[in-house]
Amino acid sequence: MSTANIKRVKSSEIELKDRLVSIQRVAKVTKGGRTFSFSAIVVVGDEHGVVGYGLGKAKEVTEAISKGVDDAKKSLVKVPVHKGTVPHEAHGKYSGGFVFLKPAAHGTGVIAGGAMRAVLESAGITDVLAKSKGSSNPHNVVKATIAALAKMRDPFTVAQQRGVSLDKVFNG
């Protein structure tokens, strides 16, 4: 994946909403018994094209979530949203998780599974058809979805790069 399209965003400039994707209870066995801790995957976004994910680990659930939110604010990415949907089809891959995103007509809604739905809604995408293939592990699905979104190019930059009008990009 080329890093040329990825636009980093500062978290201090925008109002972010967080969504909990997954929470796991992890046990470490010691001679004194089991020690439990929690890991939380959190997605943050402003619902206007900015999204990021983070992982938090702690002894308490609330601590793990707040650490995840802090981590997510460090990995914010700007995503092109065109009329409430993605500009074009895209495939994303991370480890064993594969995702496919396809633009949808207005009124379709977000047709996507749990972890993918959280990322797409946090990014502000209201209409999209999505399919998750391969691993259903939330870590891999979230990272693959953000990889697919990061590959997206908005129509205005495509028109600029090709040196043609915006109408020519849409209608050929």
Side-chain angles (χ1 to χ4, degrees), residues 78 123 141:
K78 180 84 174 123
V141 173

Side-chain angles (χ1 to χ4, degrees), residues 6-122:
I6 299 173
K7 295 175 202 78
R8 295 275 176 206
V9 180
K10 294 244 181 347
S11 63
S12 57
E13 303 163 4
I14 44 179
E15 179 73 27
L16 296 169
K17 295 179 183 168
D18 56 276
R19 280 175 204 256
L20 182 65
V21 175
S22 163
I23 192 143
Q24 302 288 114
R25 189 180 78 169
V26 183
K28 180 173 92 174
V29 180
T30 59
K31 70 177 183 182
R34 292 188 188 98
T35 308
F36 294 109
S37 65
F38 296 90
S39 70
I41 307 169
V42 182
V43 173
V44 297
D46 69 344
E47 297 179 351
H48 295 290
V50 176
V51 68
Y53 68 92
L55 175 66
K57 298 177 179 181
K59 299 274 184 198
E60 299 290 324
V61 175
T62 52
E63 255 182 83
I65 293 170
S66 65
K67 282 184 180 181
V69 169
D70 293 342
D71 190 34
K73 287 179 181 176
K74 295 175 190 171
S75 69
L76 293 176
V77 177
K78 180 84 174 123
V79 173
V81 179
H82 183 70
K83 295 180 183 174
T85 188
V86 293
H88 55 84
E89 291 183 3
H91 295 272
K93 178 188 184 295
Y94 184 86
S95 189
F98 299 90
V99 298
F100 173 66
L101 303 175
K102 187 177 177 179
H106 180 71
T108 305
V110 178
I111 312 292
M116 221 187 324
R117 175 180 289 273
V119 174
L120 295 169
E121 287 177 349
S122 293

